[in-house]
Amino acid sequence: MGKTLFDKIWDSHVVQVIPDGPTQLYIDRLYAHEVTSPQAFDTLRDKGIRVFRPDHVVAMPDHNTPSDQQEVINDPIGRKQVETLKANCEEFGIKHFAMGTKDNGIIHVVGPEKGLSLPGMTIVCGDSHTSTHGAVGALAMGIGTSEVAEVLASQCILQSKPKSMRINVEGKLQQGVTAKDVALYIMAQMTTSGATGYAVEYAGSTIRNMSMEGRLTLSNLSIEMGSRAGIIAPDETTFAYLKGREYAPKGADWDKAVSYWKTLRSDDDAIFDKEITYSAEDIKPRITYGTNPGAGIAIDGTIPNIDNLDAKEKAQLMVQLDYMQFKPGQKLEGTPVDYCFLGACTNGRIEDFRAFASIVKGKKKSPNVVAWLVPGSWLVRKQIIDEGIDKILEEAGFELRLPSCSSCLAMNPDKVPAGKLAISTSNRNFVGRQGPGARTVLASPLVVAASAITGVITDPRKL
């Protein structure tokens, strides 16, 4: 029987299998940021040991980084975390991309764009959205702080092998439908726990026709279905994206790497524990209405009614809707919005800013909307300026801010006030995710752009 792509990468990294226990898995790349790494470094100090392979570790601050200026972090806790990361990297000899430098940005944006994340790798980080890196054909997983310490100490981790699932998406996407919409659609179909216990491979003609930026968005959101990892087989699109990147192989090493990468695909006779197929034609621009990413509808649809729900389902839906100040059966299109956010490791790449600019060009931002447009890295910001996108945004009344996780989560100054409604390209709409009492609707860059212009939730196809 043939092997899945996931099996090929997993099996090639097994150090040993513990009888009736987990697998000891070798890790090619550990990413570290300021929030989950301090305790891991403290563990090493307590045990009197060094980082085993510091050249396999890359660190950068992103969660606490301000997007309006990067001279100082006013919050004492955030400032301490960033300073501690720098000190730890200096002490243990780890590559550190400091705040405000050209190498800095959101860790899940910087990794692929610098060629640090490569096909066939095992990649971990103390952050749930590490699944992003699976878009290049890597096995990428979020891990806990104690596990970060394991990798720092041994370049290995103990993991139970998840089951395998393949999600196929076939056909051509409609106009105005993006990878973000595909992800939100799949989550709505499968629920936020539908892939729990699985590593998911995305396949099908729709996926093969996606850009790398689109694939990175899709893989980023794998964790929101409960998946352990999301992975896409590397192909010519992958190779073209990675070639020439700063840390990608060069010359003869590149040719050798590509030759190996071409073997990283599921065999034709590989059997998955579960397989699902969706049609691209069924997907419209999406929007969420609840307090989890799976609670979503087509932008021209309505929030589900409670008539056919059992008591438990009804109660769960009403708790979400009460917080969001929505009602069963309500149509969200036309609902006024207070804040618009473009960015995050989900949609903070150059393609996302191109899409946003394509909608707002020649128009003006609604005066009723506060907009935060935040690149995922300094490289993305440079691309925006080099392509003149910043001028389009400025003429439309928008400000291009500095690279940061920004309003994806309430750990830096970009917090949405209580009760205000934000339409966001980020990955989570949990209670208080963008600020205590803030209400979040998730959508694609096109939907967010259209809404920023009109001041209400808007179908971008109408603009």
Side-chain angles (χ1 to χ4, degrees):
M1 186 175 67
K3 286 187 174 184
T4 67
L5 169 57
F6 166 75
D7 284 332
K8 289 181 179 181
I9 299 176
W10 179 280
D11 292 349
S12 68
H13 287 78
V14 171
V15 178
Q16 63 174 325
V17 179
I18 312 300
D20 300 319
T23 299
Q24 184 184 19
L25 203 67
Y26 180 79
I27 300 301
D28 294 304
R29 181 78 67 210
L30 168 66
Y31 291 117
H33 57 61
E34 76 274 27
V35 179
T36 57
S37 66
Q39 299 90 335
F41 285 106
D42 286 344
T43 298
L44 266 61
R45 284 192 199 90
D46 291 343
K47 295 182 180 297
I49 56 179
R50 303 294 298 173
V51 175
F52 181 52
R53 290 192 168 165
D55 57 324
H56 286 48
V57 185
V58 177
M60 68 198 76
D62 53 13
H63 283 54
N64 290 288
T65 306
S67 72
D68 57 342
Q69 55 76 36
Q70 295 187 354
E71 300 299 321
V72 63
I73 297 175
N74 292 315
D75 176 64
I77 296 176
R79 184 171 62 251
K80 179 66 173 177
Q81 288 181 331
V82 171
E83 291 172 348
T84 299
L85 178 66
K86 179 182 179 181
N88 283 330
C89 289
E90 290 174 349
E91 178 181 347
F92 289 95
I94 290 171
K95 189 184 299 294
H96 175 243
F97 297 153
M99 183 179 78
T101 65
K102 67 177 182 60
D103 296 314
N104 183 252
I106 303 173
I107 207 162
H108 305 312
V109 175
V110 173
E113 75 178 12
K114 281 191 168 294
L116 287 161
S117 301
L118 298 171
M121 277 186 167
T122 50
I123 299 172
V124 295
C125 176
D127 186 283
S128 57
H129 293 104
T130 307
S131 57
T132 309
H133 307 265
V136 303
L139 173 54
M141 302 175 289
I143 58 175
T145 297
S146 61
E147 293 169 314
V148 172
E150 284 181 27
V151 181
L152 288 171
S154 68
Q155 207 57 41
C156 294
I157 192 173
L158 295 175
Q159 287 283 292
S160 297
K161 187 176 182 180
K163 295 182 288 185
S164 62
M165 178 190 296
R166 182 159 61 188
I167 298 177
N168 305 292
V169 186
E170 302 286 357
K172 185 177 180 180
L173 294 174
Q174 299 180 42
Q175 182 182 12
V177 177
T178 70
K180 181 65 164 289
D181 300 300
V182 173
L184 291 175
Y185 176 84
I186 293 173
M187 280 187 279
Q189 301 301 309
M190 294 185 59
T191 76
T192 50
S193 60
T196 300
Y198 291 89
V200 171
E201 178 181 344
Y202 298 101
S205 60
T206 308
I207 310 303
R208 290 193 296 273
N209 288 324
M210 275 186 187
S211 65
M212 274 307 301
E213 286 88 353
R215 295 178 188 187
L216 288 160
T217 294
L218 183 60
S219 296
N220 175 272
L221 288 158
S222 300
I223 189 67
E224 308 307 339
M225 302 184 296
S227 173
R228 196 72 188 88
I231 190 169
I232 297 172
D235 57 15
E236 293 302 325
T237 298
T238 318
F239 309 150
Y241 175 86
L242 291 172
K243 190 171 186 178
R245 300 279 174 177
E246 187 175 352
Y247 292 94
K250 304 291 191 299
D253 289 338
W254 170 262
D255 296 334
K256 182 179 179 181
V258 171
S259 179
Y260 164 60
W261 294 344
K262 287 181 177 179
T263 69
L264 295 175
R265 56 181 296 275
S266 292
D267 296 328
D268 293 339
D269 57 345
I271 296 177
F272 291 80
D273 294 300
K274 189 173 184 178
E275 190 155 8
I276 303 170
T277 299
Y278 297 109
S279 172
E281 296 177 353
D282 295 335
I283 306 174
K284 296 181 179 181
R286 305 284 299 181
I287 198 157
T288 62
Y289 60 82
T291 55
N292 71 72
I297 54 176
I299 195 165
D300 58 0
T302 57
I303 296 173
N305 280 305
I306 59 176
D307 301 342
N308 298 321
L309 301 179
D310 61 32
K312 182 178 179 181
E313 292 172 329
K314 178 180 177 180
Q316 289 175 337
L317 177 58
M318 290 310 300
V319 167
Q320 295 189 63
L321 295 183
D322 286 346
Y323 180 83
M324 291 298 296
Q325 300 176 28
F326 297 150
K327 295 181 179 181
Q330 179 180 343
K331 187 179 179 69
L332 291 185
E333 191 176 3
T335 302
V337 296
D338 303 300
Y339 283 75
C340 291
F341 172 54
L342 171 66
C345 59
T346 316
N347 286 117
R349 299 175 181 83
I350 185 60
E351 183 178 276
D352 303 309
F353 279 81
R354 290 171 183 156
F356 190 97
S358 74
I359 294 291
V360 306
K361 185 176 183 179
K363 304 179 181 69
K364 290 292 183 181
K365 181 182 75 68
S366 167
N368 300 321
V369 167
V370 175
W372 290 321
L373 277 53
V374 187
S377 72
W378 282 93
L379 177 58
V380 172
R381 193 174 194 275
K382 182 179 184 300
Q383 289 175 297
I384 291 168
I385 294 170
D386 288 348
E387 295 182 18
I389 294 173
D390 61 322
K391 301 301 183 186
I392 295 173
L393 300 176
E394 183 180 350
E395 289 170 4
F398 295 94
E399 174 197 0
L400 180 64
R401 295 170 79 90
L402 305 179
S404 164
C405 285
S406 183
S407 187
C408 178
L409 75 173
M411 288 188 68
N412 55 72
D414 296 349
K415 295 180 177 67
V416 176
K420 298 296 184 180
L421 181 63
I423 184 164
S424 172
T425 64
S426 51
N427 40 48
R428 287 181 173 163
N429 53 345
F430 300 160
V431 171
R433 172 74 178 186
Q434 290 189 284
R439 301 178 295 141
T440 300
V441 169
L442 301 179
S444 75
L446 293 177
V447 174
V448 172
S451 304
I453 293 297
T454 62
V456 299
I457 294 175
T458 301
D459 187 336
R461 297 173 297 181
K462 295 182 177 179
L463 295 187

